[in-house]
């Protein structure tokens, strides 16, 4: 079946603009995760969804970042008033359930460049 | 912030040789996973080892876990040029009794296998 998909694959935006990044998880996966990968910080957890709820938003770096998930499926990560330090690859992953020890399937990522 | 560190940061070997990468972490874990990443994009799950396991094999991969030293190693035997990639360890922590599988990644090892 289809894997995790993300769009766009690349996004270049001007500082101060808002961006929306989309993640389509594997069908039937109830858990969805957003991570960010940047040169200075490596791979960092941002937020986790169980169904449409986000029990853990602890990794969101500032209140400019928000995310939602609808229908227990698609998730959107929104960054408002983008800054240059937001430039990174944003990775989405899903797993069958939020239990420990389950493989997470990653999407190809969205490379965000803020100019 | 990263849970742990990996070494070496970069490893260059010839095809047919074995590659060993190490990962250290700081807190108690439920399990440790190894992922592979090509060209800075999506991560591919390789293997998971639970905290009560000491060694696990999958094809040419061998993973060990020493919880007393809070360290793990990934051995790739008989390496191939196609194994060239970045390799990350990731730990799943018990967070206040909530089991949701949030992963905390190491900095990664860049492996180059020369044909």
């Amino acid at each position: 079946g289809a894997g995790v998909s993300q769009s766009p694959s690349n996004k270049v935006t001007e500082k101060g603009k808002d961006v929306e990044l989309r993640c389509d998880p594997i069908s039937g996966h109830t858990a969805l995760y957003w991570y960010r990968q940047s040169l200075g910080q490596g791979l960092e957890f941002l937020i986790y969804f169980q169904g449409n709820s986000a029990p853990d938003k602890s990794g969101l770096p500032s209140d400019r970042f928000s995310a939602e998930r609808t229908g227990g499926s698609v998730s959107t990560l929104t960054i408002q008033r983008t800054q240059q330090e937001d430039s990174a690859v944003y990775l989405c992953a899903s797993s069958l359930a939020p239990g420990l020890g389950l493989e997470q399937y990653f999407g190809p990522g969205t490379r965000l460049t803020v100019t | 912030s990263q849970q742990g560190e990996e070494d070496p940061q970069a490893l260059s070997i010839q095809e047919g040789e074995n590659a060993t990468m190490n990962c250290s972490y700081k807190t108690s874990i439920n399990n440790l996973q190894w992922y592979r990443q090509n060209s800075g994009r999506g991560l591919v799950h390789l293997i998971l080892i639970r905290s009560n396991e000491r060694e696990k094999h999958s094809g040419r991969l061998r993973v060990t876990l020493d919880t007393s030293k809070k360290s793990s190693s990934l051995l790739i035997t008989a390496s191939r040029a196609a194994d060239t990639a970045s390799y990350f360890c990731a730990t799943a922590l018990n967070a206040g009794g909530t089991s949701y599988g949030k992963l905390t990644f190491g900095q990664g090892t860049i492996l180059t296998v020369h044909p």
Side-chain angles (χ1 to χ4, degrees), chain B residues 93-108:
Chain B
L93 310 177
N94 289 318
T98 301
S99 300
Y100 53 76
K102 163 186 168 182
L103 295 176
T104 306
F105 287 85
Q107 296 288 350

mmCIF file of all heavy atoms in Angstrom, chain B residues 93-108:
data_model
loop_
_atom_site.group_PDB
_atom_site.id
_atom_site.type_symbol
_atom_site.label_atom_id
_atom_site.label_comp_id
_atom_site.label_asym_id
_atom_site.label_seq_id
_atom_site.Cartn_x
_atom_site.Cartn_y
_atom_site.Cartn_z
ATOM 1 N N LEU B 93 11.233 6.665 25.132
ATOM 2 C CA LEU B 93 11.287 6.796 26.580
ATOM 3 C C LEU B 93 9.936 6.518 27.199
ATOM 4 O O LEU B 93 8.911 6.663 26.557
ATOM 5 C CB LEU B 93 11.717 8.222 26.953
ATOM 6 C CG LEU B 93 12.955 8.772 26.260
ATOM 7 C CD1 LEU B 93 13.184 10.214 26.683
ATOM 8 C CD2 LEU B 93 14.166 7.927 26.583
ATOM 9 N N ASN B 94 9.958 6.147 28.458
ATOM 10 C CA ASN B 94 8.721 6.109 29.213
ATOM 11 C C ASN B 94 8.493 7.503 29.772
ATOM 12 O O ASN B 94 9.278 7.978 30.570
ATOM 13 C CB ASN B 94 8.818 5.111 30.369
ATOM 14 C CG ASN B 94 8.827 3.700 29.871
ATOM 15 O OD1 ASN B 94 8.088 3.355 28.974
ATOM 16 N ND2 ASN B 94 9.680 2.875 30.447
ATOM 17 N N ALA B 95 7.474 8.166 29.288
ATOM 18 C CA ALA B 95 7.251 9.550 29.703
ATOM 19 C C ALA B 95 6.054 9.614 30.623
ATOM 20 O O ALA B 95 4.931 9.679 30.174
ATOM 21 C CB ALA B 95 7.025 10.431 28.481
ATOM 22 N N GLY B 96 6.283 9.606 31.894
ATOM 23 C CA GLY B 96 5.209 9.736 32.871
ATOM 24 C C GLY B 96 4.150 8.679 32.739
ATOM 25 O O GLY B 96 2.997 8.921 33.041
ATOM 26 N N GLY B 97 4.523 7.507 32.230
ATOM 27 C CA GLY B 97 3.561 6.422 32.108
ATOM 28 C C GLY B 97 2.731 6.490 30.855
ATOM 29 O O GLY B 97 1.927 5.623 30.582
ATOM 30 N N THR B 98 2.928 7.516 30.070
ATOM 31 C CA THR B 98 2.163 7.630 28.826
ATOM 32 C C THR B 98 2.932 6.955 27.708
ATOM 33 O O THR B 98 4.054 7.330 27.409
ATOM 34 C CB THR B 98 1.938 9.107 28.452
ATOM 35 O OG1 THR B 98 1.235 9.719 29.522
ATOM 36 C CG2 THR B 98 1.128 9.223 27.180
ATOM 37 N N SER B 99 2.347 5.971 27.115
ATOM 38 C CA SER B 99 3.035 5.229 26.059
ATOM 39 C C SER B 99 2.622 5.782 24.720
ATOM 40 O O SER B 99 1.531 5.522 24.243
ATOM 41 C CB SER B 99 2.666 3.747 26.139
ATOM 42 O OG SER B 99 3.040 3.220 27.387
ATOM 43 N N TYR B 100 3.459 6.556 24.103
ATOM 44 C CA TYR B 100 3.095 7.051 22.789
ATOM 45 C C TYR B 100 4.218 6.977 21.785
ATOM 46 O O TYR B 100 4.055 7.375 20.658
ATOM 47 C CB TYR B 100 2.572 8.483 22.881
ATOM 48 C CG TYR B 100 3.495 9.438 23.589
ATOM 49 C CD1 TYR B 100 4.628 9.932 22.981
ATOM 50 C CD2 TYR B 100 3.217 9.863 24.878
ATOM 51 C CE1 TYR B 100 5.469 10.820 23.632
ATOM 52 C CE2 TYR B 100 4.044 10.754 25.541
ATOM 53 C CZ TYR B 100 5.167 11.230 24.911
ATOM 54 O OH TYR B 100 5.990 12.104 25.565
ATOM 55 N N GLY B 101 5.333 6.425 22.174
ATOM 56 C CA GLY B 101 6.342 6.125 21.172
ATOM 57 C C GLY B 101 7.125 7.276 20.611
ATOM 58 O O GLY B 101 7.806 7.121 19.598
ATOM 59 N N LYS B 102 7.053 8.433 21.258
ATOM 60 C CA LYS B 102 7.872 9.564 20.811
ATOM 61 C C LYS B 102 9.329 9.146 20.751
ATOM 62 O O LYS B 102 9.861 8.565 21.677
ATOM 63 C CB LYS B 102 7.689 10.712 21.792
ATOM 64 C CG LYS B 102 8.734 11.811 21.729
ATOM 65 C CD LYS B 102 8.502 12.787 22.862
ATOM 66 C CE LYS B 102 9.661 13.734 23.029
ATOM 67 N NZ LYS B 102 9.431 14.654 24.167
ATOM 68 N N LEU B 103 9.984 9.433 19.642
ATOM 69 C CA LEU B 103 11.376 9.056 19.451
ATOM 70 C C LEU B 103 12.307 10.234 19.664
ATOM 71 O O LEU B 103 12.007 11.351 19.240
ATOM 72 C CB LEU B 103 11.590 8.496 18.049
ATOM 73 C CG LEU B 103 10.875 7.183 17.740
ATOM 74 C CD1 LEU B 103 11.093 6.799 16.277
ATOM 75 C CD2 LEU B 103 11.365 6.071 18.654
ATOM 76 N N THR B 104 13.423 9.973 20.298
ATOM 77 C CA THR B 104 14.480 10.959 20.472
ATOM 78 C C THR B 104 15.707 10.427 19.764
ATOM 79 O O THR B 104 16.183 9.331 20.071
ATOM 80 C CB THR B 104 14.768 11.189 21.962
ATOM 81 O OG1 THR B 104 13.554 11.536 22.620
ATOM 82 C CG2 THR B 104 15.761 12.314 22.135
ATOM 83 N N PHE B 105 16.212 11.212 18.812
ATOM 84 C CA PHE B 105 17.251 10.744 17.907
ATOM 85 C C PHE B 105 18.647 11.174 18.326
ATOM 86 O O PHE B 105 18.839 12.246 18.907
ATOM 87 C CB PHE B 105 16.989 11.267 16.490
ATOM 88 C CG PHE B 105 15.850 10.595 15.797
ATOM 89 C CD1 PHE B 105 14.553 11.019 15.984
ATOM 90 C CD2 PHE B 105 16.085 9.525 14.949
ATOM 91 C CE1 PHE B 105 13.494 10.396 15.348
ATOM 92 C CE2 PHE B 105 15.035 8.890 14.299
ATOM 93 C CZ PHE B 105 13.734 9.328 14.504
ATOM 94 N N GLY B 106 19.624 10.333 17.971
ATOM 95 C CA GLY B 106 21.017 10.717 18.076
ATOM 96 C C GLY B 106 21.400 11.579 16.886
ATOM 97 O O GLY B 106 20.580 11.843 15.994
ATOM 98 N N GLN B 107 22.656 12.006 16.862
ATOM 99 C CA GLN B 107 23.121 12.921 15.816
ATOM 100 C C GLN B 107 23.403 12.216 14.506
ATOM 101 O O GLN B 107 23.493 12.853 13.468
ATOM 102 C CB GLN B 107 24.382 13.654 16.281
ATOM 103 C CG GLN B 107 24.166 14.566 17.470
ATOM 104 C CD GLN B 107 23.374 15.802 17.094
ATOM 105 O OE1 GLN B 107 23.133 16.085 15.934
ATOM 106 N NE2 GLN B 107 22.956 16.557 18.096
ATOM 107 N N GLY B 108 23.565 10.900 14.564
ATOM 108 C CA GLY B 108 23.743 10.147 13.327
ATOM 109 C C GLY B 108 25.191 9.900 12.954
ATOM 110 O O GLY B 108 26.089 10.643 13.343
#
